[in-house]
Amino acid sequence: METEALAMAQEIDFSLLALFARATLTVKLVMILLIVMSFWSWAIIVQKHLLFRKARAEAANFDAAFWSGEPLDELYEALGSDPQGASEKVFAAGMTEWRRSHRQDGALIAGAQARIDRAMNVAIARETEALNKSLPFLATTGSTAPFIGLFGTVWGIKYAFEEIAIAQSTNLAVVAPGIAEALLATGLGLMAAIPAVVFYNKLSADSDRIVGNYESFADEFATILSRQLDSAA
């Protein structure tokens, strides 16, 4: 009897496509949702990797230009009205407010330092938002995908038990397909969740480091302008 059941089980197709095709509609929807979440997570991971690499390269190039000894006014004019890099935008925000803080007679308007700091902080906040955009999806995927997969597993096992009751048999040929289909949902949930959690932590740390560099530059630039403000007072 056991030999016959094993022979029947060996004839069943346990490939991923076959397991998906045999699953109930609910489990299929769960699997499709998890696959979409996994692909979307990887798209975000790749896009953020390229974005962060570009941001680091732009920051390095601008730092080299900023500390090259070129006059700040000339550097500001060279950037034009539409700077591209984040560090350039922070610098441009500070320089724009610096120029606006001078009256036509050359005297400074009171509170220039505070306004310059706020302008650069706003620019940094915008760049931070751009860097962190879509990262919450990775966190959501990492925290919910295992439970979505578990729901699919529970539903699949429920269906498998119903099949057992209908067939009035507990041999391997009856039990194995339903259990395998149900466990596939959990596997897909983990496949979506694990990379999402790992890369969310990594990308969040990378984003914090990049933003920290922007803030350090803003502090250094504010110190330079502060000295000029004090000398002009």
Side-chain angles (χ1 to χ4, degrees), residues 6 17-18 22 65 67 72 77 83-84 93-94 105 113 117 122 140-141 164 166 174 187 201 203:
L6 288 172
L17 289 177
R22 288 197 302 265
W67 296 110
L72 297 182
E77 295 295 338
Q84 298 301 312
D105 60 0
Q113 185 68 57
D117 290 342
V122 169
T140 301
T141 299
I164 292 172
I166 293 172
V174 176
N201 292 330
L203 293 173

Side-chain angles (χ1 to χ4, degrees), residues 129-173:
E129 183 178 0
L131 289 174
N132 292 332
K133 185 179 180 181
S134 300
L135 287 185
F137 181 82
L138 295 181
T140 301
T141 299
S143 60
T144 62
F147 296 102
I148 295 173
L150 182 59
F151 168 76
T153 297
V154 171
W155 192 274
I157 290 176
K158 179 187 79 70
Y159 179 75
F161 280 126
E162 291 173 354
E163 289 293 303
I164 292 172
I166 293 172
Q168 295 183 350
S169 173
T170 58
N171 67 48
L172 189 61

Side-chain angles (χ1 to χ4, degrees), residues 51 54-55 58-59 62-63 66 75-76 79-98 116-131 214 217-218 221:
L51 176 64
K54 180 181 178 182
E58 288 177 342
F62 178 75
D63 283 348
F66 182 82
L75 179 58
Y76 178 66
L79 293 177
S81 59
D82 186 25
Q84 298 301 312
S87 294
E88 295 174 358
K89 292 178 181 178
V90 174
F91 168 75
M95 282 297 295
T96 299
E97 190 57 43
W98 163 260
I116 292 170
D117 290 342
R118 282 198 298 271
M120 289 193 291
N121 287 337
V122 169
I124 291 173
R126 288 173 181 166
E127 296 308 314
T128 301
E129 183 178 0
L131 289 174
Y214 295 157
F217 166 75
F221 183 39

Side-chain angles (χ1 to χ4, degrees), residues 23 43 67-68 73 93 135 142 159 180 190-191 213:
W67 296 110
S68 65
D73 287 326
L135 287 185
Y159 179 75
L190 294 175
M191 185 181 71
N213 290 333

